Amino acid sequence: IDIIQVRYTSSPDAGLHSDKNIKNNYQYFQANATLPYIFKKDSSMLVFTPFYEYYKIRIATVTDLPDKVQSMALPFNFVKPLSKRWGLTVGVIPRWNGYGSQTFTSNSFQLGGLVLASVKKNDHLEYKFGIYYNSEFSGAFFMPLAGIDWQINKRNALFGILPGNLTYEHQVSKRFYWGGLLRAVTNSYQAGYHGNTAISKYIRVDENQLAIFADAYLSKNVVFTTEFGHSVYRRVRFG
């Protein structure tokens, strides 16, 4: 697990898009921690994973965007072994998605959750399936989940939970790994008001990233990751 993780992404202009006149870009930052507590009786875990993130989105045709939209979340997951093969994870995800001083208000609050079952086929292969929910500002958002944790051999692994993420990892040495990943995000953020009215507007970000990465272990417990990729079917919508 990553006890502490910090990630920064810059997506300039149109990237590989054929229309180079597009002047849309964004910057993304995330910092999170993973704090597990293990119950000795049956190895159940309570995992607290607080995180903070922000997007700085610039769209040439939209001039009234806030400087940045941001999120603070306090997810709790309870992981329960049901047998030698089966396990169950239940999560609750309270979060605040807004901008500036309007981030931590009742108007910016969202509540999400997930239920995820896992089954081990053998010592090297585990399947996962379940459902995710979040109270997005665009309405109730449900997503079925399907995952895999597969140690293909000593140097290759495939793991993740779709549609959110999937990672292939190859070990070159004890200190260097490389691989490819898919990362998909759906989030909505309060973003101000329509003109001078009291009707709030929100931004919904749908982001699909394909990337290659390299992990370099600076020490046993410190990893530096470099990632390069491109977005597919990215959509920033207003409501």
Side-chain angles (χ1 to χ4, degrees):
I1 62 173
D2 296 323
I3 297 296
I4 298 175
Q5 184 183 72
V6 177
R7 180 163 64 94
Y8 173 79
T9 303
S10 178
S11 181
D13 293 338
L16 299 178
H17 197 282
S18 58
D19 185 356
K20 298 304 179 182
N21 292 318
I22 293 177
K23 298 300 179 182
N24 303 338
N25 62 82
Y26 82 82
Q27 299 173 50
Y28 175 80
F29 172 84
Q30 183 188 75
N32 65 272
T34 302
L35 307 172
Y37 178 81
I38 301 175
F39 297 90
K40 294 181 180 180
K41 182 178 180 180
D42 61 356
S43 296
S44 296
M45 287 190 297
L46 183 63
V47 186
F48 180 44
T49 54
F51 73 83
Y52 168 78
E53 66 177 3
Y54 72 71
Y55 279 96
K56 288 187 176 181
I57 300 171
R58 291 295 170 263
I59 299 175
T61 56
V62 182
T63 59
D64 61 344
L65 290 174
D67 177 60
K68 65 183 179 182
V69 289
Q70 57 190 348
S71 176
M72 172 68 79
L74 304 172
F76 284 90
N77 291 297
F78 180 66
V79 184
K80 172 73 174 179
L82 301 178
S83 68
K84 290 183 178 181
R85 293 187 62 206
W86 287 88
L88 182 67
T89 299
V90 178
V92 178
I93 312 169
R95 61 190 296 168
W96 293 261
N97 285 12
Y99 65 99
S101 62
Q102 299 301 311
T103 301
F104 305 107
T105 65
S106 59
N107 193 42
S108 299
F109 181 73
Q110 296 180 351
L111 183 63
L114 63 88
V115 177
L116 189 70
S118 61
V119 56
K120 287 186 177 180
K121 187 173 182 180
N122 53 53
D123 290 340
H124 305 289
L125 179 61
E126 182 176 302
Y127 297 111
K128 303 176 182 182
F129 52 90
I131 191 166
Y132 166 82
Y133 162 79
N134 194 52
S135 57
E136 300 289 340
F137 298 127
S138 54
F141 179 80
F142 290 92
M143 181 66 71
L145 305 174
I148 190 171
D149 194 343
W150 182 18
Q151 189 66 45
I152 302 170
N153 52 43
K154 290 184 178 180
R155 291 188 178 271
N156 296 283
L158 182 70
F159 54 90
I161 300 174
L162 291 171
N165 61 84
L166 185 66
T167 300
Y168 163 73
E169 180 185 76
H170 174 73
Q171 180 182 7
V172 178
S173 67
K174 289 183 178 181
R175 289 187 174 271
F176 186 74
Y177 294 71
W178 66 266
L181 62 85
L182 163 69
R183 183 186 297 117
V185 176
T186 297
N187 279 334
S188 56
Y189 304 83
Q190 294 288 2
Y193 297 89
H194 289 286
N196 295 320
T197 71
I199 303 173
S200 60
K201 67 173 181 282
Y202 65 85
I203 298 174
R204 173 167 164 163
V205 179
D206 292 278
E207 172 77 354
N208 306 285
Q209 300 174 357
L210 296 173
I212 56 175
F213 69 89
D215 286 347
Y217 279 76
L218 307 182
S219 67
K220 182 179 179 180
N221 296 318
V222 179
V223 188
F224 181 78
T225 297
T226 303
E227 183 180 308
F228 177 81
H230 201 272
S231 293
V232 182
Y233 299 113
R234 177 197 296 167
R235 298 183 69 186
V236 179
R237 290 177 284 179
F238 300 87

